[in-house]
Structure formats: structure tokens, C-alpha cells
Amino acid sequence: MMDKSSRWLLVFAAMSGAVTVALGAFAAHGLKSQLPPYLLGVFETGVQYQAWHSLAIFGCAILARILPSKGVLYAALFFVAGIILFSGSLYALALTGIKWFGPITPMGGVCFIIGWVALAVAAWRSA
């Protein structure tokens, strides 16, 4: 039986993956003629990072069952924050053109980096 943290991470990862596919299709079919190439690229970058980190969250949820560690949970939570801040700010920037969303993006990138470092530390400590 899964603990609550692993279950919620799996649910989030699965739903984020579904949203990623929908947003990718929306970009390819709905936004391609509506946005200039630069902003379409910004949106697509958000989709790519969300896809990769949805998979990372999924991996953390599975790993948390094998390697119970707060570090794995922290990594997943930083990946969630990264998706919200990084991808979310890129989506908002592309769709609204409001420039102040731009400075939020690096905070999401830092969350992604912290998540990967937390995962590495958890793996190192598991040995």
C-alpha cells in the first residue's frame, strides 16, 4: 500500500503529464497561427520542461517506495514548484505578452536545480 505522499505525487505526475500533452497540442494547433514564432517557442519550452519534470516527479514517487527518504520527497516538491513557476510563467508570458512574468521563470529554474540536487543527495545517502 502506498503512503499518501507517494500517491499524491503519482496523481500529480499523471495529471501534469495529461496537461502537458493537451498544452503541446494546443500550441501546435491553436497557437501556431496566433503567436509570433518567439512566443510560440517560449510556450513550447514551458511544455518541454513540464513534460520532463512530470516524469521526474513520477520517478520520485516510485523511488519513494523503494528508498524512503525525505530528500526524495523534497526533490519532488521542488519539481512541482519548478513546473508551476518555470512553465507557468512561460505560459503566462506567451499568452499575455506581459513582461513581468519573465523574472519569475528563473525562480522555477532554481527549483528544478534544487530538486535534482536533493535527489542526488538522497541517492548518495542511501548507500
Side-chain angles (χ1 to χ4, degrees):
M1 181 158 202
M2 282 190 194
D3 65 18
K4 283 185 182 180
S5 298
S6 296
R7 183 175 34 169
W8 281 110
L9 288 174
L10 283 172
V11 168
F12 182 88
M15 295 308 297
S16 181
V19 168
T20 301
V21 173
L23 290 173
F26 176 61
H29 302 289
L31 293 179
K32 196 169 191 175
S33 63
Q34 302 298 317
L35 293 179
Y38 169 73
L39 288 179
L40 183 62
V42 166
F43 193 93
E44 290 172 342
T45 297
V47 171
Q48 290 174 4
Y49 274 77
Q50 183 173 351
W52 285 113
H53 288 88
S54 294
L55 291 172
I57 295 164
F58 180 81
C60 286
I62 300 301
L63 186 59
R65 302 298 300 150
I66 300 165
L67 174 68
S69 163
K70 287 185 180 182
V72 172
L73 176 60
Y74 291 145
L77 293 176
F78 275 106
F79 293 150
V80 169
I83 287 172
I84 292 166
L85 295 171
F86 185 90
S87 296
S89 67
L90 291 180
Y91 300 147
L93 174 63
L95 294 174
T96 68
I98 298 172
K99 302 282 186 207
W100 68 263
F101 285 114
I104 297 170
T105 309
M107 291 187 287
V110 168
C111 287
F112 287 147
I113 292 166
I114 292 170
W116 287 111
V117 170
L119 191 57
V121 169
W124 180 261
R125 288 184 176 170
S126 71

